[in-house]
Amino acid sequence: MSAKDYGAESIKVLEGLEGVRKRPAMYIGSTGKDGLHHLVYEAVDNSVDEALAGYCKNITITIKKDGSCSVEDDGRGIPVEPHPILKIPAVEVALTRLHAGGKFDKKSYMISGGLHGVGISCVNALSKKLIVEIKRDGNIYSMEFSRGITQTKLKTIGKTKDKDETGTTVTFFPDEEIFSTLTFDYKILETRLREIAFLNAGLKINLVDEIKDKKEIFQYHGGLVEFVKWINGSKEIIHKPVYFKREDKESGTSIEVAVQYNSSYNENIFGFVNTINTVEGGTHVAGFKTALTRVINDYAKKKNILKPSKNGDSSLSGDDVREGLTVIISLKIPNPQFEGQTKTKLGNSEIKGQVDSMVTAALAEYFEENPAVAKKIADKAMEAARARLAAKKAKELVRRKSAFSLGGLPGKLADCSSKKNEDSELYIVEGESAGGSAKQARNKEIQAILPLKGKILNIEKANPTKALGSEEITNLITAIGTGVGESFDATKLRYNKIIIMTDADVDGEHIKTLLLTFFFRYMPQLIDNGNIYAAVPPLFKVRKNKDHYVHSEAELKKLVDKLGGNVVVNRFKGLGEMSLDQLWDTTMNPKTRKIKKVYVEDAVEADQTFSMLMGDDVQGRKDFIAENAKEANLDI
Ligand code: 0RA
């Protein structure tokens, strides 16, 4: 076929979907596990939009044995009549034109001005095969595509039982030419689908896994109120949830908020913009924080809970009013601008003021109407303020103490010589002896070593005063340089990579978890910015002609099979057992080592996991360990 056989329109189409196939990561983030699951969310989002428009009540997601995933809804069904200009069925337009989704019916369908991502055509472009089935006007229609290209024209394949039965089912087989993994993970889908159900009160989402023979229904009539209760599930709560919803007609911005304090010291702000989890925060979160601080201060002053101090400037700080806070902020706006490393930070500057004024009005009103709840919250913030003053004294003590050591840095730190921060690294090492080896093995120029005296304090169970009084913790904070909490300053970060190096055994895992808990609660920005890493020391050395290092039993089996016959296998008991060269090659040499970047896939889940693993929920912890034990490396 020569080029002139293509109409201008079909050339545009090919360019569109080919673009998606050429640069899939631009549309779905990655071509790994995350990108694969993104396909499902993209399909589900279309059905959720139909639910938001008031036409869909049930969505069913099925992981099938043949490697496909289907998303079924009982909405109006994608229109099938010919597109007035393109003269092909509207459904074909939706599936083959990039961003065509919103162009159908702006008024009724896209009430939210197109809340969601890149659309179903991307799913089509990245699927080896996709089948869409539509129930509409008493008929069942079907169409098939491959890699974005129409394979079977629209045909009627049957009649619905009931004349007004409507709906859409999209079944897709992700393309192995695109994705590095093709297996859908029940747990990943479960977490996100539960989140979607919480964010859309009443919507019923069914998840079915035909491979694992598992199913679950997510439906929450209480919406965000149930969400906040669920997050606080393993915590001691201090009042019933505060809930409000406001709309700014002029700008089209609407906000829904659920707040519930618990007795912990942690702050948990979960922001969603058009149901996308804004892990990196943004202007909506900033607006909320400003409003919260103002309303609680005003209330405490008005009710004489907060009394003017001698120097006249007593007020509750942002950290004070957020201690023990769990909040869900769900914002819907017409044109979100996402920024940041993972495109999960809301950038629209006008939103801060809008959210601030809506939250201020709604929260002040709620406090007036619910004085008992308001008092509990104000009292809790007062208590935090008192502890803050005590902690300040403790910090001053730390500062004075450290002023005596060299340059204010902890004495145990073997710093690197280069002050250029782009390639500098801090190794946090378990135990003095491994610390000693690391000091000898390192590249002095860019690698600093901080040995830890065994286990650090469990941050989850200690209040800030106690935490900041611990020597190991203050050493860590001083070495890193940024400070913590409200005074955190990313520009003061002294190393670009912070690498946790522990033994590959149970104790090592525990120390790693304690450190990650510390970073997650005190310096979450470092996790968000991708500064935190875990070293992955090898478990075995396999010798045949030369040394090979492997990191798991499975890898060992594979390698031994490959090398065949007489090999010598050594199991490493710990970092301390390695020679300096081995330590350098396997775990420290930037060119040959294996390290893992730590990131938070889902903030809600991470918070729950840390609270549960490190807090007081013994049964929850046992369940978690039983469920995850098969994934852990046990060497007892
Ligand atoms: C445009 C118009 C109409 C429905 C839809 C789109 C629609 C799209 C999807 C995608 C997945 N499920 C869906 N359900 C509906 C309705 C037009 C009308 O009937 O008036």
Side-chain angles (χ1 to χ4, degrees), residues 43 46-47 50 73 75-79 101 104-105 108-109 136 168 170:
N46 286 284
S47 302
E50 186 67 359
D73 70 53
R76 289 167 294 178
I78 307 181
F104 281 107
D105 174 352
S108 64
Y109 174 48
R136 242 180 114 89
T168 305
V170 172

Side-chain angles (χ1 to χ4, degrees), residues 176-207:
E176 75 264 1
E177 287 176 7
I178 303 283
F179 294 98
S180 57
T181 169
L182 298 174
T183 8
F184 295 105
D185 182 325
Y186 188 90
K187 272 211 73 93
I188 294 178
L189 292 180
E190 176 190 33
T191 303
R192 174 64 187 150
L193 294 174
R194 180 186 293 117
E195 210 164 84
I196 294 174
F198 274 129
L199 292 169
N200 295 283
L203 176 64
K204 188 167 170 182
I205 301 182
N206 304 280
L207 173 61

Side-chain angles (χ1 to χ4, degrees), residues 398 456-457 465-475:
V398 171
I456 66 160
L457 186 78
T465 315
K466 190 166 167 213
L468 296 171
S470 143
E471 192 185 331
E472 296 286 282
I473 302 277
T474 49
N475 279 347

Side-chain angles (χ1 to χ4, degrees), residues 334-606:
N335 293 302
Q337 243 93 58
F338 293 108
E339 306 173 342
Q341 174 130 328
T342 53
K343 293 268 173 287
T344 55
K345 179 176 183 178
L346 185 70
N348 303 53
S349 56
E350 73 282 6
I351 294 301
K352 181 169 188 277
Q354 286 174 15
V355 168
D356 182 355
S357 66
M358 287 193 279
V359 172
T360 300
L363 198 58
E365 188 183 307
Y366 187 96
F367 278 10
E368 281 312 315
E369 288 167 4
N370 298 272
V373 173
K375 178 153 187 343
K376 280 191 182 139
I377 294 175
D379 284 346
K380 162 103 186 162
M382 285 299 296
E383 204 183 295
R386 276 191 287 272
R388 170 171 55 96
L389 292 176
K392 197 172 158 205
K393 284 198 189 123
K395 262 194 249 175
E396 270 159 17
L397 217 70
V398 171
R399 209 169 294 141
R400 244 175 294 144
K401 252 197 304 193
S402 58
F404 290 107
S405 59
L406 260 181
L409 289 169
K412 291 202 300 177
L413 174 76
D415 209 359
C416 53
S417 54
S418 158
K419 294 281 169 269
K420 260 202 306 160
N421 156 324
E422 296 100 72
D423 40 28
S424 63
E425 304 179 339
L426 174 68
Y427 271 82
I428 303 171
V429 185
E430 158 190 6
E432 307 278 354
S433 84
S437 307
K439 274 182 207 172
Q440 289 176 270
R442 69 177 167 151
N443 172 351
K444 250 198 185 128
E445 169 139 3
I446 57 158
Q447 293 177 323
I449 310 292
L450 181 67
L452 290 180
K453 225 191 280 151
K455 301 203 166 152
I456 66 160
L457 186 78
N458 180 357
I459 281 296
E460 199 69 22
K461 286 192 181 172
N463 68 31
T465 315
K466 190 166 167 213
L468 296 171
S470 143
E471 192 185 331
E472 296 286 282
I473 302 277
T474 49
N475 279 347
L476 201 57
I477 298 172
T478 328
I480 291 170
T482 55
V484 293
E486 230 162 51
S487 53
F488 178 91
D489 179 354
T491 63
K492 297 226 171 89
L493 181 61
R494 300 184 64 252
Y495 309 95
N496 189 35
K497 286 195 174 76
I498 295 167
I499 302 166
I500 303 171
M501 184 162 78
T502 56
D503 286 336
D505 61 13
V506 176
D507 274 337
E509 286 302 316
H510 187 208
I511 293 170
K512 190 158 72 190
T513 314
L514 288 165
L515 282 164
L516 289 176
T517 310
F518 166 77
F519 286 120
F520 184 71
R521 295 298 185 201
Y522 278 73
M523 302 177 172
Q525 301 92 332
L526 294 185
I527 299 181
D528 291 343
N529 292 335
N531 299 113
I532 308 288
Y533 294 78
V536 190
L539 273 184
F540 302 98
K541 182 176 84 177
V542 181
R543 195 175 176 91
K544 177 165 181 179
N545 307 323
K546 65 176 195 116
D547 290 340
H548 305 261
Y549 298 99
V550 293
H551 298 83
S552 67
E553 305 265 357
E555 232 182 280
L556 175 67
K557 193 175 167 323
K558 239 177 148 174
L559 182 70
V560 171
D561 286 349
K562 199 181 112 193
L563 295 175
N566 54 335
V567 294
V568 184
V569 177
N570 276 313
R571 188 188 179 104
F572 290 114
K573 278 260 174 281
L575 296 162
E577 268 197 10
M578 290 184 199
S579 72
L580 296 181
D581 281 345
Q582 285 171 344
L583 184 62
W584 168 248
D585 286 340
T586 61
T587 340
M588 296 187 75
N589 180 353
K591 294 211 174 78
T592 54
R593 73 186 170 196
K594 188 166 172 182
I595 60 174
K596 279 196 235 173
K597 190 188 273 192
V598 174
Y599 72 101
V600 171
E601 195 163 332
D602 184 275
V604 176
E605 176 137 332

